[in-house]
Amino acid sequence: DHSNGSFNLKALSGGSGYKFGVLAKIVNYMKTRHQRGDTHPLTLEEILDETQHLDIGLKQKQWLMSEALVNNPKIEVVDGKYAFKPKYNLKDKKALLRLLDKHDQRGLGGILLEDIEEGLPNAQKAIKALGDQIIFVNRPDKKKILFYNDKSCHFAVDEEFQKLWRSIPVDSMDEEKIEEYLKRQGISSMQETGPKKIAPIQRRKKPASQKKRRFKTHNDHLVGVLKDYSDVVPGKQ
């Protein structure tokens, strides 16, 4: 319905499966060309030509322009044309190194290799050129993470200090004992800067003396005062 700008997906020719298949192929193609260095935006006609989809219907083209490509998180519109939108848009190895350095300074850690490869053209070549300026770490799920190798943090530690460090056993000491030891040595710990532990709620135990009291059902203190009428026959006085 062109009057209100809405579209009925079921009314579009080719079926929804075909439409979304075309969309997926377009996004994948835009990613591939971005990775090889072709980052300039394309018109829809150019995209359809390069993905061999010039034969799609008018309604499908309108759906791509008005909804599918505009709302796709991996596509951005630039002056009426379309370009791939990676998580990190990097031009070269210097941009990658600046990004990793920035993450390191902010304490954000590393960046997934797949996110770097997505946004950096010829990523493997750039990563190889950086050499030992970056560090690779494998996650338990086998995904690789890139870290900035801050060489200013590399320093030699005196062997005597290392021996002194290793001579203090802490395996059998809990946190309270370690804290107490540090205080005796005049060292303040960083306990207050970390996340505070929430103490478990302790339920109050009822005193042992508060047991259910048993009450007597007879009046011992009135013995000899009340008369016994159990032998009286009803109706007779």
Side-chain angles (χ1 to χ4, degrees), residues 31-44:
K31 175 183 176 180
T32 302
R33 67 183 294 272
H34 182 95
Q35 289 174 328
R36 66 171 182 247
D38 297 333
T39 58
H40 60 278
L42 299 175
T43 64
L44 180 60

Side-chain angles (χ1 to χ4, degrees), residues 132-188:
D132 64 350
Q133 296 182 75
I134 57 178
I135 299 174
F136 283 93
V137 174
N138 291 325
R139 289 200 324 194
D141 58 3
K142 297 183 179 180
K143 289 186 177 182
K144 292 184 177 181
I145 306 177
L146 270 67
F147 288 86
Y148 176 69
N149 187 9
D150 189 356
K151 295 182 180 181
S152 65
C153 295
H154 297 181
F155 54 89
V157 179
D158 189 80
E159 186 176 353
E160 185 177 352
F161 181 81
Q162 294 182 38
K163 291 180 180 179
L164 180 62
W165 175 272
R166 297 191 183 102
S167 67
I168 303 175
V170 293
D171 293 340
S172 60
M173 298 177 66
D174 56 23
E175 292 184 6
E176 292 183 0
K177 290 182 179 179
I178 294 175
E179 180 74 15
E180 184 180 349
Y181 174 82
L182 291 174
K183 287 181 179 179
R184 287 202 307 266
Q185 302 299 321
I187 303 172
S188 59

